[in-house]
Amino acid sequence: MALIITDECINCDVCEPECPNEAISAGEEIYEIDPAKCTECVGHYDEPQCQLVCPVDCIPQDDNNMETQEELEAKYEQLTGKKIA
């Protein structure tokens, strides 16, 4: 599933540059994650980088965008044009 940024976000700017899929961008009030681009870093890293750097722990999984590991891998391949080894 994709991740989501909650309203606990303090706009610290550390998550956006960590996203390898450029799924994170500044919203009107807080940063937002585009679920169509979020693979939870599958294909790039072992765990979501935005969650690792977030100082307030405001990036949980988005229950409204449930995806299996296989779906995340397929999304990675679609976004990057690369196969997961």
Side-chain angles (χ1 to χ4, degrees):
M1 74 183 67
L3 302 173
I4 189 169
I5 297 175
T6 68
D7 60 2
E8 295 170 358
C9 175
I10 59 172
N11 290 312
C12 66
D13 304 321
V14 298
C15 61
E16 183 181 22
E18 296 300 319
C19 182
N21 295 324
E22 298 179 352
I24 300 174
S25 61
E28 287 186 32
E29 295 183 25
I30 61 173
Y31 277 87
E32 299 175 348
I33 296 177
D34 180 348
K37 292 182 178 180
C38 179
T39 62
E40 297 183 38
C41 290
V42 167
H44 297 282
Y45 302 103
D46 291 335
E47 54 190 313
Q49 300 300 290
C50 59
Q51 287 180 329
L52 290 176
V53 299
C54 180
V56 293
D57 196 29
C58 69
I59 309 175
Q61 291 187 325
D62 182 358
D63 292 335
N64 293 320
N65 287 295
M66 303 288 286
E67 293 173 295
T68 66
Q69 180 72 22
E70 291 78 23
E71 289 172 321
L72 292 171
E73 289 174 3
K75 189 190 305 185
Y76 164 83
E77 291 175 2
Q78 178 187 22
L79 289 169
T80 65
K82 300 175 185 176
K83 292 277 188 192
I84 293 180

